[in-house]
């Protein structure tokens, strides 16, 4: 299979760099084709701005959604954005790898999402009617592809557990896993998270990479997170409210949106 | 009082630009001093990288936390970062204003957080013992200051309500409001969110700005979000797990961390 790793860490001699190298080696040894978008090494432009839409008239007011739509539809996107879109379409699975900075992805990767996930490509697609609300949340350009986060965090695992002060890791990652990956159609695998990443020794690294290898072996085998598809009957249209009674009695919070 | 608006939108002739101008005018008319950090206009460097630590030895392996600590402690940060830290220390309240892109802040503002919230300044401060786990979550450099998000979203309000498909807006903003603002000590006000921001007419704009004026009038008066402080007895140390029985019976999810 074909796998794209989108990687965001400024230092190749980091734990993240080592984990990326391990993933490339493990996936290649299993017969997969692997491409790496190394955002820092490639000098990825992080901030979405008017320079992303070179065909817009000079001095025109920038309306981001409309400009993104035109640039994608008319083939006037910048070369780096078009290349990343081709890589995404090529891939059977996409791995986003990053250190958790301030409880989310680094800015450079957020900017990759903002610039590459164009209107008409990753959002703003499909029919809006009384039966559908566009192709999103389980449908869309990436339907049939898998995605997984590989994340390092400085904090303790306990602090990210169900009652941990940081909030459960699944809830912290919901805007990414549900809002960025499931939205344009990816099947999202459970994340691979390394805690206390700044306290790594040879023994832990051995254990962590062994577990990472196991997760990669399951990338096309394990069941993805059971996020509810939007247009399969679980949500009212157009309020997009989860219908009453579908969840286990008493369940609250973001887990409502898993089956 | 002194108010810093950190503003991230690439087009001044946008709804966000109009809301920012309105805030500046309303706050000035009420006798406040206002500063705006206009990240796009100032060409803010979005990605944290080695260039942020010019005193590190050339070719040395970049360890972000350690390099950030040294640069802050030794006064070798870049001028833009030091200026933003001074503005934050000057302010009695900080407003982060941005369009919600892919369910979070734009990359350029995330990079503002990553670069300005240095180790030894906004994190990595305070005593770690069996009574405390550093000065964070309600304590820290910004204790006594208020913070508020002013956000525009393209989607419908219903889609961000309790059972809405996007997830409740409070949960989507938790990594920012709790993880970025409450963490270094801010008292965080309820957010001001404008939905369907691309469907604005004169009547709605009148209503929205009227409500925004009311929220600004309450900035130092209304009660902040009742996030639980870390070191006041609600959490076990060092697991940082919320003690049993503190919440309303049956409550689940991120709301556990509100009193």
């Amino acid at each position: 299979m074909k796998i794209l790793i989108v990687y965001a860490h400024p230092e190749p001699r980091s734990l993240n760099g080592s984990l990326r190298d391990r993933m490339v080696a493990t996936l290649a040894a299993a017969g997969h084709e692997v491409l790496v978008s190394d955002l820092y090494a490639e000098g990825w432009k992080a901030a979405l701005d008017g320079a992303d839409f070179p065909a817009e008239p000079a001095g025109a007011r920038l309306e981001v959604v409309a400009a993104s739509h035109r640039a994608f539809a008319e083939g006037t996107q910048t070369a780096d954005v078009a290349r990343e879109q081709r890589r995404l379409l090529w891939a059977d699975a996409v791995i986003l790898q990053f250190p958790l900075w301030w409880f989310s992805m680094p800015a450079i990767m957020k900017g990759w999402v903002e610039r590459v996930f164009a209107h008409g490509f990753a959002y703003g697609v499909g029919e809006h009617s009384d039966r559908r609300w566009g192709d999103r949340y389980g449908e869309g350009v990436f339907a049939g592809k898998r995605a997984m986060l590989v994340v390092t965090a400085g904090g303790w695992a306990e602090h990210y557990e169900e009652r941990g002060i940081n909030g459960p890791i699944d809830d912290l990652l919901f805007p990414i896993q549900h809002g960025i990956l499931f939205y344009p159609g990816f099947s999202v695998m459970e994340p691979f998270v390394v805690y206390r990443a700044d306290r790594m020794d040879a023994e832990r690294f051995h254990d962590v990479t062994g577990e990472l290898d196991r997760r990669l072996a399951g990338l096309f085998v394990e069941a993805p997170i059971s996020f509810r598809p939007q247009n399969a009957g679980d949500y009212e249209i157009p309020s997009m409210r989860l219908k009453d009674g579908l969840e286990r009695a008493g369940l609250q919070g973001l887990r409502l949106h898993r089956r």
Side-chain angles (χ1 to χ4, degrees), chain A:
Chain A
M1 307 289 267
K2 303 187 190 80
I3 296 162
L4 172 65
I5 299 173
V6 184
Y7 167 76
H9 196 286
E11 175 54 69
R13 294 162 293 181
S14 59
L15 173 62
N16 271 275
S18 298
L19 294 176
R20 178 205 49 190
D21 293 346
R22 174 69 166 233
M23 287 204 290
V24 170
T26 296
L27 292 167
H32 299 298
E33 291 178 72
V34 184
L35 263 180
V36 178
S37 291
D38 185 337
L39 301 183
Y40 274 101
E42 295 173 12
W44 181 259
K45 173 179 176 289
L48 182 159
D49 60 20
D52 291 313
F53 313 111
E56 295 289 306
R61 172 178 161 181
L62 173 61
E63 298 185 79
V64 172
V65 172
S68 173
H69 183 88
R70 282 190 289 271
F72 176 73
E74 297 166 12
T76 58
Q77 300 177 116
T78 59
D80 57 348
V81 165
R83 183 195 66 221
E84 294 302 306
Q85 291 171 347
R86 284 195 303 273
R87 289 179 176 179
L88 284 163
L89 293 174
W90 165 86
D92 300 300
V94 176
I95 293 171
L96 302 186
Q97 191 202 340
F98 57 89
L100 194 70
W101 285 350
W102 293 101
F103 304 103
S104 188
M105 53 174 56
I108 198 170
M109 185 175 280
K110 181 67 182 358
W112 177 87
V113 174
E114 291 166 10
R115 297 181 57 229
V116 175
F117 281 26
H119 189 273
F121 178 62
Y123 71 110
V125 292
E127 166 196 338
H128 285 71
S129 68
D130 55 356
R131 298 180 306 106
R132 305 181 55 76
W133 196 259
D135 295 343
R136 59 173 204 172
Y137 291 125
E139 296 171 287
V141 65
F142 303 130
K145 301 176 186 289
R146 299 194 156 209
M148 184 168 86
L149 302 185
V150 172
V151 177
T152 61
W156 297 25
E158 291 90 329
H159 301 184
Y160 291 92
E161 287 177 359
E162 181 57 28
R163 296 171 71 87
I165 193 167
N166 292 338
I169 191 70
D170 286 346
D171 289 355
L172 294 171
L173 296 179
F174 183 89
I176 300 173
Q177 297 193 136
H178 187 264
I180 290 176
L181 295 174
F182 187 60
Y183 187 106
F186 282 111
S187 296
V188 185
M189 310 305 291
E190 293 288 346
F192 182 79
V193 184
V194 180
Y195 296 98
R196 299 204 80 188
D198 51 348
R199 300 296 176 96
M200 190 60 58
D201 58 23
E203 187 182 0
R204 267 197 81 207
F205 185 75
H206 178 269
D207 294 346
V208 161
T209 49
E211 178 59 21
L212 179 56
D213 286 350
R214 279 188 290 279
R215 290 299 311 281
L216 294 177
L219 184 55
F220 296 99
V221 180
E222 291 176 16
I225 298 173
S226 57
F227 288 134
R228 298 175 185 273
Q230 175 184 266
N231 296 317
D234 289 6
Y235 295 92
E236 291 162 2
I237 297 176
S239 75
M240 303 318 312
R241 185 180 172 280
L242 181 66
K243 292 176 180 171
D244 288 333
L246 293 184
E247 72 276 16
R248 182 163 51 74
L251 189 71
Q252 299 165 12
L254 295 172
R255 233 149 298 174
L256 288 177
H257 301 286
R258 296 188 181 208
R259 273 183 165 159

